[in-house]
Amino acid sequence: MEIRIDNLTKKFGDVVGVEDLTLHIDDGEFVAFLGPSGCGKTTTLLTLAGIYKPTEGLIRFGDRVVNTVQPKDRNIGMVFQSYALYPHMTIFQNIAYPLKLKKAPKNVQNEQVRQVANVMGIGELLDRRPGQLSGGQQQRVALGRALVKEPDVLLFDEPLSNLDARLRLTMRGEIKHLQKNLGITSIYVTHDQVEAMTMADRIAVMNLGQLQAFDAPDELYDRPKTRFVAGFVGNPPMNFLDVDVSQSNGGFVAAADSIQLPVGNERGEPPAGYDGSVVMGIRPEDITIADDGDVNGEIFVVEPLGREDLIDARVGPHSFILLADTEKQHRAGERVALKFDMTQAQFFDPQTERSLLWN
Amino acid sequence: MSEPNATAKTSAALLQSRRNALRSYLGAYGFMAPAGVLVIIFFLIPVAIVLYLSVTNLASSNFTSNLAKMEFVGLKNYETLLNDQFARKIFFNTIFYVLVTLSLFNVTLALIVSLLTTHIDRSAGFLFRALWILPRITSPVVYILIWKRMTAEAPFGILNQFNEFLGQPTYNYLSTNPWVFVVVVNGFIGVSFGMIIFTSAIESIPKDLLNASLVDGSSRLQRIRYVILPLIRWPLLFVVTYQTLSLLTSFVEIQLLTDGGPGLYRTEVWSLTAYHRALSNYFGNAQWGYGSAFAVLLVMIGVVLAVIYMRVFRFDELIAEPRVEAL
Ligand SMILES: Nc1ncnc2c1ncn2[C@@H]1O[C@H](COP(=O)(O)OP(=O)(O)O)[C@@H](O)[C@H]1O
Ligand SMILES: [Mg+2]
């Protein structure tokens, strides 16, 4: 089912839940809504589900405008962060509930519930009550309940954030696998950028009720259109630095205090045209400690992550986060030379925070 | 050398642990003491006195300042009561009054009001419920005066003024339909208790659960039937229990509205009879002993009902130990 959201605004009195959101989602696509808490992800989802009525704008499922359609007439499956299982019903009754409401015959209910339960690996638990299940099992039941009615659209509201890290990893894979197999158009809300990056075909990044970007994961990573997106996507986050970019000897140079970094024409020209200093962004993996580095600094903190070390290096007043091989055994206080891969540098307008490179 | 020392140590430890046990034991009773004292002074002692009075012939007609002259008459008062030609009528009056008021108002209307006011705009719902609490917090005398004024005969009563305005015949409502007004007047007060309990129970149902039901395909009515009502089962049973017992003992409003009339005991209920016999009989002829017999039976019925309710509804499950979520 194709979903088209046009200029959607939802307000609660004076509080803006989501503002002027325009988003077109293709049939069978897996889209993630990514953003910090309170940015309007849940509001958007509940508006799509029909729980909230839009204050303004249009929502279309296929060619049908669904603004005033009741939730029960939208054929949506939804998975909640709290699982939202009915505590007074058995697992069987929980999963059968959507079918019962559709007035499916008893034997059909029985068959479909068992089938879904087996797919979700909870066939043994049908007689229990939600309170007797672990978090991971409850989440499977919730997913089963959403799938059993064969919905046109699946909505997920931070479904994995109450699970432990390992279970999260397994469920992530399972959900993605299921979605691809069933081909159901899905919207997945999360504040965890790793989840969004690994699962989604496209990611809608939101902040303060507004859409910041809507792109494929690698596109967001390599060509962030706003400073917020650049900082939010990627872990550890991108380093930012105020620099002046100017032309020098046929090339360009980004300068901040003692730091002088040569930039190629392609990335150097747009910021050089900007009057005054700009915000430069550079990802941790694009800074390396090397003997032929152009910038001298000192290691402030080393955080071992196991596979690699997370290093906070200081150059004068500026701090850079970077990653280094654990075998190098860097120590705090060590003097190092840093090498910047300026072909990956990003530049942002300090006022509008929009990218000077991509539009 | 070390042996007796060790024994001394263990016995000291034993003493200490006993002391701790005693302390926590006393602590628990210490905390219960204030409530316990109140229950003893204002419930157990009065019950004992009434129980004693019910086996005497104490009445204003044979009362002297010498209480020692009060005669012990055994179960004679109870015998009289069982043979009283009106006791049976009053007994069934009471059952009728409690069942009808409870089922129509204290439970059903309370539930309807809570469901309606939680499905409309929050502040409108709140205002509506706040208004409905007024009868309960108004002094019964004032509240009944209002109803008397409404139901009074033409040309004074407000209802009859409407009737006149519409060209309808007028009625003396309290003598033609006393039960309707006894039930409505009490029911109007009774609704607010269930309303408050039900509303808070409904509002404490997690929002996700309510939204999930709609997304799963229920209408709002189906959501009430399949999700909300099952989830407020305990509050429902609690209100049924508590309100049965309080209706059984309430009589002030009836006393002020009809005083058990019109005629002989048309709307008289058991607790009102106890009051009438013991404290407000005709010509100041108060039968304290006989009235106490009525009161004792009422207490017994109440206690038996309470025990049955506790068993049937398993209220002890309500206070089950909280389970610590396993990690
Ligand atoms: N029912 C509501 N009434 C009033 N304000 C709300 C309601 N739901 C959400 N909001 C507000 O809307 C904003 C977006 O909330 P939400 O969509 O829940 O954010 P997210 O899911 O991204 O954390 C927040 O400022 C929140 O306080
Ligand atoms: Mg949310």
Side-chain angles (χ1 to χ4, degrees):
Chain A
M1 177 77 65
E2 189 189 358
I3 302 173
R4 278 178 294 166
I5 306 170
D6 285 298
N7 308 101
L8 173 70
T9 297
K10 174 65 192 174
K11 290 187 185 153
F12 306 96
D14 291 337
V15 181
V16 178
V18 56
E19 194 168 24
D20 199 23
L21 176 71
T22 298
L23 210 61
H24 293 187
I25 298 169
D26 296 334
D27 184 30
E29 198 175 12
F30 194 142
V31 168
F33 286 179
L34 176 65
S37 272
C39 73
K41 307 181 298 285
T42 301
T43 304
T44 309
L45 217 55
L46 290 177
T47 313
L48 286 174
I51 304 291
Y52 295 149
K53 301 271 166 291
T55 311
E56 274 168 52
L58 270 189
I59 301 175
R60 269 173 292 194
F61 286 3
D63 291 327
R64 185 168 70 133
V65 175
V66 294
N67 277 31
T68 56
V69 175
Q70 287 299 314
K72 69 183 167 72
D73 301 321
R74 295 190 182 204
N75 199 24
I76 279 177
M78 184 156 177
V79 181
F80 295 81
Q81 178 178 355
S82 62
Y83 319 133
L85 300 179
Y86 310 113
H88 57 290
M89 299 184 195
T90 62
I91 300 308
F92 181 92
Q93 289 167 331
N94 263 283
I95 301 178
Y97 186 58
L99 300 175
K100 174 170 154 183
L101 293 169
K102 275 189 178 174
K103 302 203 162 55
K106 275 273 178 323
N107 58 332
V108 175
Q109 287 186 26
N110 208 349
E111 191 182 316
Q112 294 195 358
V113 169
R114 276 172 211 290
Q115 191 188 334
V116 164
N118 288 336
V119 171
M120 299 309 306
I122 46 172
E124 311 295 302
L125 308 173
L126 290 177
D127 295 331
R128 298 213 202 159
R129 288 190 193 264
Q132 299 166 307
L133 266 52
S134 71
Q137 289 170 328
Q138 290 191 42
Q139 195 53 277
R140 282 164 202 271
V141 176
L143 195 51
R145 186 179 65 187
L147 288 173
V148 77
K149 63 200 269 200
E150 297 173 352
D152 294 326
V153 177
L154 268 175
L155 304 177
F156 299 86
D157 193 358
E158 314 212 15
L160 304 184
S161 43
N162 286 357
L163 301 180
D164 65 61
R166 203 144 61 111
L167 205 49
R168 211 147 55 202
L169 205 70
T170 333
M171 289 296 289
R172 209 158 81 190
E174 281 186 35
I175 291 178
K176 177 162 184 176
H177 182 74
L178 258 172
Q179 195 273 339
K180 280 285 161 272
N181 270 359
L182 300 172
I184 303 173
T185 310
S186 300
I187 300 177
Y188 188 102
V189 160
T190 178
H191 64 259
D192 178 349
Q193 48 105 13
V194 179
E195 255 172 40
M197 297 288 283
T198 52
M199 296 172 81
D201 299 325
R202 279 195 290 172
I203 301 176
V205 184
M206 298 173 74
N207 191 30
L208 303 173
Q210 290 180 324
L211 184 68
Q212 298 280 323
F214 183 39
D215 256 322
D218 50 357
E219 194 67 12
L220 286 180
Y221 195 79
D222 295 335
R223 283 182 274 279
K225 291 202 175 72
T226 66
R227 180 182 164 167
F228 176 81
V229 173
F232 198 74
V233 174
N235 185 28
M238 186 181 274
N239 297 293
F240 292 105
L241 178 69
D242 287 337
V243 295
D244 284 301
V245 182
S246 54
Q247 200 156 17
S248 119
N249 322 336
F252 293 89
V253 169
D257 302 323
S258 64
I259 305 172
Q260 299 276 331
L261 299 163
V263 196
N265 283 343
E266 205 179 312
R267 297 215 175 193
E269 200 168 340
Y274 190 85
D275 193 16
S277 64
V278 296
V279 178
M280 183 185 94
I282 184 115
R283 293 203 180 275
E285 62 266 34
D286 297 326
I287 309 176
T288 43
I289 295 174
D291 296 336
D292 61 340
D294 346 79
V295 179
N296 292 316
E298 184 181 330
I299 295 181
F300 185 64
V301 179
V302 178
E303 290 181 31
L305 297 179
R307 191 154 44 99
E308 56 210 347
D309 285 339
L310 181 80
I311 289 176
D312 180 351
R314 297 284 162 95
V315 180
H318 307 293
S319 156
F320 296 98
I321 302 293
L322 56 118
L323 296 166
D325 201 334
T326 44
E327 283 177 10
K328 297 261 173 65
Q329 298 201 343
H330 291 294
R331 297 259 175 267
E334 188 181 333
R335 300 208 56 88
V336 288
L338 302 179
K339 187 168 178 172
F340 289 71
D341 180 0
M342 292 303 284
T343 61
Q344 301 300 320
Q346 307 287 339
F347 294 95
F348 302 96
D349 183 320
Q351 257 83 52
T352 64
E353 307 213 326
R354 305 201 133 272
S355 173
L356 297 169
L357 305 179
W358 332 106
N359 282 301
Chain B
M1 194 58 203
S2 70
E3 269 297 298
N5 203 355
T7 329
K9 237 182 210 162
T10 45
S11 72
L14 205 66
L15 203 67
Q16 182 63 34
S17 81
R18 275 212 195 124
R19 209 174 280 156
N20 284 345
L22 187 69
R23 190 175 297 152
S24 68
Y25 190 71
L26 287 181
Y29 281 91
F31 279 113
M32 289 201 312
V37 168
L38 289 180
V39 168
I40 290 169
I41 294 181
F42 291 107
F43 185 75
L44 290 183
I45 292 180
V47 164
I49 293 175
V50 168
L51 201 60
Y52 175 67
L53 286 180
S54 76
V55 292
T56 70
N57 67 351
L58 195 67
S60 56
S61 55
N62 62 10
F63 181 70
T64 65
S65 55
N66 184 1
L67 274 180
K69 282 201 170 167
M70 179 165 69
E71 259 180 67
F72 178 76
V73 296
L75 295 179
K76 186 160 163 290
N77 282 328
Y78 293 93
E79 218 179 299
T80 317
L81 192 159
L82 289 179
N83 294 321
D84 189 324
Q85 54 172 327
F86 293 112
R88 200 181 147 83
K89 180 178 172 60
I90 292 166
F91 180 75
F92 286 109
N93 273 354
T94 310
I95 292 184
F96 173 81
Y97 162 70
V98 171
L99 282 187
V100 172
T101 314
L102 183 76
S103 55
L104 292 186
F105 287 90
N106 294 32
V107 175
T108 309
L109 190 56
L111 196 55
I112 292 173
V113 170
S114 324
L115 286 168
L116 283 178
T117 58
T118 47
H119 279 74
I120 58 173
D121 176 73
R122 246 184 106 81
S123 46
F126 182 81
L127 185 72
F128 190 79
R129 292 195 300 271
L131 286 176
W132 207 308
I133 292 179
L134 285 179
R136 184 175 290 274
I137 57 175
T138 308
S139 142
V141 173
V142 174
Y143 175 65
I144 297 299
L145 272 178
I146 294 171
W147 276 100
K148 286 222 164 184
R149 178 75 203 184
M150 294 227 293
T151 54
E153 286 180 81
F156 306 110
I158 294 168
L159 292 178
N160 277 323
Q161 284 175 4
F162 272 111
N163 284 341
E164 280 180 339
F165 180 74
L166 297 173
Q168 299 290 318
T170 61
Y171 304 93
N172 182 0
Y173 286 108
L174 288 182
S175 71
T176 52
N177 302 76
W179 271 122
V180 171
F181 287 93
V182 165
V183 168
V184 167
V185 164
N186 279 284
F188 240 70
I189 303 176
V191 163
S192 56
F193 182 82
M195 177 184 81
I196 290 168
I197 305 267
F198 296 150
T199 303
S200 59
I202 293 170
E203 293 200 327
S204 66
I205 298 175
K207 279 277 164 300
D208 275 359
L209 224 47
L210 299 176
N211 289 341
S213 177
L214 293 182
V215 174
D216 281 342
S218 74
S219 64
R220 266 152 232 272
L221 275 177
Q222 285 171 318
R223 180 171 71 175
I224 289 173
R225 180 161 173 332
Y226 294 124
V227 179
I228 296 179
L229 287 183
L231 288 178
I232 62 169
R233 198 170 94 244
W234 288 117
L236 253 167
L237 296 179
F238 168 71
V239 168
V240 168
T241 305
Y242 189 85
Q243 294 286 277
T244 313
L245 298 177
S246 48
L247 279 171
L248 211 52
T249 54
S250 75
F251 69 88
V252 175
E253 286 78 14
I254 303 179
Q255 184 206 359
L256 291 169
L257 191 69
T258 65
D259 201 21
L264 274 178
Y265 308 124
R266 181 99 178 263
T267 58
E268 180 99 349
V269 292
W270 201 267
S271 52
L272 185 55
T273 308
Y275 169 80
H276 276 152
R277 291 290 175 182
L279 302 170
S280 170
N281 217 337
Y282 303 104
F283 315 116
N285 175 21
Q287 300 164 282
W288 293 309
Y290 190 39
S292 297
F294 275 89
V296 166
L297 284 185
L298 190 64
V299 169
M300 276 162 49
I301 293 173
V303 169
V304 168
L305 274 182
V307 169
I308 292 176
Y309 275 135
M310 295 237 278
R311 282 285 157 81
V312 172
F313 296 155
R314 295 193 303 249
F315 276 111
D316 45 339
E317 284 185 5
L318 278 182
I319 48 166
E321 298 271 323
R323 275 193 314 153
V324 177
E325 184 73 34
L327 291 173

